[in-house]
Amino acid sequence: MPILASLPGLNLLSSLPSNPPQNDTTSCTPSPSPPIPIPKYPPPRSRNPKTNVPRSNPALSIPHRRSNYRKPVQKGVISTDGDRCVIVGENGVSYKLPGAPFEFQYSYSETPNAEPIAIREPAYLPFAPPTMPRPWTGKAPLKKSKKNIPLFDSFNPPPPGKKGVKHVEKPGPFPFGKYPKEGKTREEILGEPLKKWEIKMLVKPLLSYNRQVNLGRDGLTHNMLGLIHSHWKRRRVCKIKCKGVPTVDMDNVCRHIEEKTGGKIIHRVGGVVYLFRGRNYNYRTRPQYPVMLWKPATPVYPKLIQEAPEGLTKAEADEFRKKGKSLLPICTLAKNGVYASLVKDVRDAFEECPLVKIDCKGLQPSDYKKIGAKLKELVPCVLLSFDDEQILMWRGRDWKSMYGDTSSTLVPVKADISSGIDNSAKSSDDSGTPDAQRVVSSPKMMSLWRRAIESNKALLLEELALCPDALLEKVEEFEGMSLAIEHSCEALVLSSEDGSSGSSSAEFKGGSYSEDENDIYSSDDIIDDEDYDDDSFAEVNPSIPLGSLPVDKIAERLRRESK
């Protein structure tokens, strides 16, 4: 610092220059370029292009399922494509192809009986076009394999122990001395009816078998036919497990399965069905069906719920719906359950109440609406409401009881034992007593009561005002009569000409049986424990005389030993 201060012409405290020097543009360097170039995006595409690319097949340009497409249709052919056509008939919308054994449908078992009034999509065939060189599988065609894979069928099974070949069951079973033969008709392919031991032999290995065909809410669909034949390629019996809506009417499902596949149902437990392919089934000569590429939209059917159903006015229907809100449901349907006993439960419920409600919480609306449509045809009944996920039904004016009498039966208190139930239909006016008591009972209870009286297991008392001793005497008398009738041994009847009453059984004196009782059974009839055989109960001839059963002899021997 002292050296800098001693320099001449240098002032350290001088101010900065007022005009800074101008920058020399020739000497400045250019600014560096950015390290990452700025991307240039293409202009946004318009969502609604003016030009549409034409499709090769018009069936691939069907409208969206949530579209408002509605086209009224009538019974008959609604669309044709050469020999292929779409038909609306009694079975709904069906598709006819040249050379097909029957008209194809998406679902064969779950088609309503009512005719459709409109369709929700254009009438196109849901199959591959005939110009397609190969069946559509959704994937590109595979290259030709270099390996020569042998093909086997049920008539030409692979030899046992061959490696790289899946298990293939031989045709049959056949009776001794018979062999498989080519069959064209269903009867020729099925062959002779199976015997019980053959059915047991075929079904027993499949009870715990997990390879099965699952039949769901759509019932027996078209593509399921080819799936069943693929199961039949390896095994003689195909296991089909049914759940959901189709199980309401299992007879209908089994009938369609046998008609469309050509097999025979040999065993059925609940919703599980075992389908036999036939003794002379050959996979090579099976009927081949085209694959349905998509599920056609369900047509529009008439409404199930009407404001004024048949036999009711609008006011009466509203009153029933109001009462149905406080009605308890008879059952609750589980999702994907088996509803084989639902029709019987509804019929039994109609015996007690004209209104029946079923709880369907957790089920899809389409499912419990289909269940209601099935109950309307099978029970039959009148549908009133689907509100709150519940099915409300009315039995209708033309309802008839399963037990014969539709009206509530009047059972008078006074009746004769010998007349049984015949006098029970008389009213209080006919009996002459104006204040006779009447009991109102259901038809089902009346049938059980009539059966009990006819079999001498029940008693109609003549008088109600009985003292305890008189009531006990009547009960003991009736008990003796019923025991005498139900006893399996023949009663010994003794008659005398001097007018003394005969005895229908051995006399009971002093708490022990008289000596005359020994005359009924001989000593040969009494058997010991060593002579008793457990197989004596295996087969019992219904024509054997009374009192000769092994149980009667054992009871007699025990009674003698207890003296």
Side-chain angles (χ1 to χ4, degrees):
M1 294 298 294
I3 297 174
L4 293 176
S6 62
L7 293 176
L10 181 61
N11 188 6
L12 296 177
L13 301 178
S14 62
S15 62
L16 295 175
S18 59
N19 295 326
Q22 297 182 358
N23 296 329
D24 189 3
T25 57
T26 58
S27 63
C28 65
T29 59
S31 60
S33 60
I36 300 176
I38 300 174
K40 294 181 180 181
Y41 297 99
R45 297 179 180 178
S46 59
R47 295 185 178 180
N48 298 322
K50 296 181 181 180
T51 59
N52 294 329
V53 180
R55 301 294 185 99
S56 59
N57 187 12
L60 301 178
S61 60
I62 59 175
H64 198 272
R65 296 201 178 273
R66 286 176 288 183
S67 64
N68 295 326
Y69 184 91
R70 297 290 187 277
K71 182 180 179 181
V73 292
Q74 295 180 356
K75 191 174 181 180
V77 179
I78 59 176
S79 177
T80 57
D81 183 12
D83 296 338
R84 302 148 58 99
C85 58
V86 183
I87 304 174
V88 174
E90 298 179 355
N91 298 327
V93 179
S94 57
Y95 310 98
K96 186 176 181 180
L97 300 181
F102 48 83
E103 295 180 359
F104 296 144
Q105 297 175 252
Y106 173 73
S107 176
Y108 297 101
S109 62
E110 300 307 305
T111 304
N113 293 334
E115 296 182 2
I117 58 179
I119 55 177
R120 304 176 189 267
E121 65 180 6
Y124 291 122
L125 291 164
F127 305 103
T131 57
M132 185 173 291
R134 65 180 181 88
W136 176 255
T137 58
K139 298 179 181 180
L142 299 177
K143 295 181 180 180
K144 187 177 181 180
S145 177
K146 296 181 180 179
K147 297 181 180 179
N148 187 13
I149 302 176
L151 299 178
F152 301 97
D153 59 3
S154 56
F155 272 44
N156 184 25
K162 186 176 180 61
K163 296 182 179 181
V165 179
K166 294 183 180 179
H167 174 73
V168 178
E169 290 187 349
K170 295 182 179 180
F174 294 103
F176 182 74
K178 293 188 178 181
Y179 302 95
K181 58 182 180 179
E182 291 287 346
K184 296 182 179 180
T185 63
R186 181 172 182 266
E187 290 74 14
E188 293 176 353
I189 295 175
L190 289 178
E192 299 179 2
L194 294 175
K195 299 180 181 179
K196 290 185 178 180
W197 68 269
E198 293 176 333
I199 295 176
K200 185 177 180 181
M201 177 191 67
L202 294 172
V203 173
K204 188 175 181 180
L206 300 180
L207 294 177
S208 58
Y209 195 60
N210 57 357
R211 291 194 176 184
Q212 60 193 13
V213 177
N214 295 321
L215 192 144
R217 63 167 56 93
D218 292 330
L220 179 65
T221 58
H222 175 79
N223 292 344
M224 201 176 292
L225 301 179
L227 184 60
I228 291 175
H229 281 281
S230 65
H231 280 255
W232 277 347
K233 182 179 181 180
R234 304 295 179 186
R235 287 190 173 270
R236 303 169 185 172
V237 178
C238 176
K239 182 179 180 181
I240 304 175
K241 193 170 187 178
C242 309
K243 285 187 177 182
V245 180
T247 58
V248 177
D249 190 5
M250 282 297 299
D251 295 337
N252 177 54
V253 175
C254 296
R255 178 173 58 86
H256 280 95
I257 289 176
E258 290 184 345
E259 287 180 358
K260 303 306 176 184
T261 61
K264 178 68 176 179
I265 295 178
I266 58 176
H267 188 58
R268 180 176 123 189
V269 179
V272 182
V273 173
Y274 297 89
L275 186 64
F276 178 58
R277 66 185 183 183
R279 295 182 186 267
N280 302 314
Y281 175 81
N282 190 1
Y283 183 76
R284 288 183 181 271
T285 59
R286 74 190 187 281
Q288 299 186 14
Y289 310 106
V291 179
M292 193 170 285
L293 302 183
W294 70 84
K295 177 182 178 180
T298 307
V300 181
Y301 290 95
K303 292 185 178 180
L304 292 173
I305 304 298
Q306 302 176 2
E307 293 185 358
E310 49 188 77
L312 290 176
T313 62
K314 188 177 183 302
E316 293 175 345
D318 294 341
E319 184 67 21
F320 277 150
R321 294 186 183 102
K322 185 178 180 181
K323 291 181 179 179
K325 292 183 179 180
S326 59
L327 187 67
L328 293 177
I330 61 172
C331 62
T332 301
L333 301 183
K335 187 177 180 180
N336 295 331
V338 179
Y339 318 130
S341 63
L342 183 61
V343 175
K344 182 180 180 300
D345 295 342
V346 174
R347 288 176 180 173
D348 292 341
F350 276 145
E351 298 289 339
E352 301 295 336
C353 182
L355 292 177
V356 171
K357 187 167 66 173
I358 301 175
D359 191 3
C360 303
K361 290 184 179 179
L363 273 69
Q364 294 187 6
S366 60
D367 288 353
Y368 59 75
K369 287 180 181 179
K370 290 179 183 178
I371 293 174
K374 286 179 175 289
L375 294 176
K376 181 181 179 181
E377 300 171 0
L378 298 175
V379 174
C381 60
V382 179
L383 298 177
L384 295 178
S385 174
F386 287 132
D387 296 340
D388 301 330
E389 298 182 353
Q390 294 175 339
I391 305 175
L392 182 63
M393 297 166 287
W394 176 53
R395 64 187 181 186
R397 297 190 186 278
D398 299 335
W399 174 79
K400 293 183 180 180
S401 174
M402 296 187 296
Y403 304 99
D405 192 5
T406 57
S407 60
S408 52
T409 310
L410 302 177
V411 182
V413 176
K414 292 187 176 182
D416 190 11
I417 301 175
S418 61
S419 60
I421 201 65
D422 298 333
N423 296 334
S424 63
K426 297 181 180 180
S427 60
S428 60
D429 299 333
D430 300 337
S431 61
T433 56
D435 53 350
Q437 299 181 4
R438 296 184 299 175
V439 180
V440 180
S441 180
S442 64
K444 183 176 181 180
M445 185 61 67
M446 279 304 305
S447 64
L448 297 176
W449 180 249
R450 185 183 294 106
R451 189 184 308 169
I453 292 178
E454 291 175 356
S455 60
N456 293 327
K457 293 183 179 180
L459 175 67
L460 288 177
L461 297 179
E462 298 180 359
E463 299 178 0
L464 278 181
L466 295 176
C467 61
D469 296 337
L471 182 61
L472 180 60
E473 182 180 355
K474 284 186 174 293
V475 171
E476 290 178 351
E477 180 183 357
F478 176 75
E479 185 179 0
M481 294 170 56
S482 61
L483 288 177
I485 294 175
E486 291 184 357
H487 203 274
S488 60
C489 302
E490 293 183 350
L492 179 63
V493 180
L494 302 177
S495 60
S496 60
E497 298 179 357
D498 57 353
S500 60
S501 60
S503 173
S504 60
S505 61
E507 294 181 359
F508 185 76
K509 298 179 182 180
S512 61
Y513 287 90
S514 62
E515 296 179 358
D516 296 337
E517 186 183 1
N518 297 330
D519 297 338
I520 301 177
Y521 297 102
S522 60
S523 60
D524 299 336
D525 295 333
I526 302 177
I527 58 177
D528 296 331
D529 294 337
E530 293 80 4
D531 299 332
Y532 176 69
D533 187 8
D534 294 339
D535 297 336
S536 58
F537 291 96
E539 295 182 0
V540 179
N541 188 4
S543 61
I544 59 178
L546 297 177
S548 61
L549 294 176
V551 65
D552 297 325
K553 299 176 182 179
I554 295 174
E556 178 64 21
R557 180 178 57 81
L558 294 176
R559 186 173 61 183
R560 290 176 180 273
E561 293 177 356
S562 62
K563 291 181 180 180

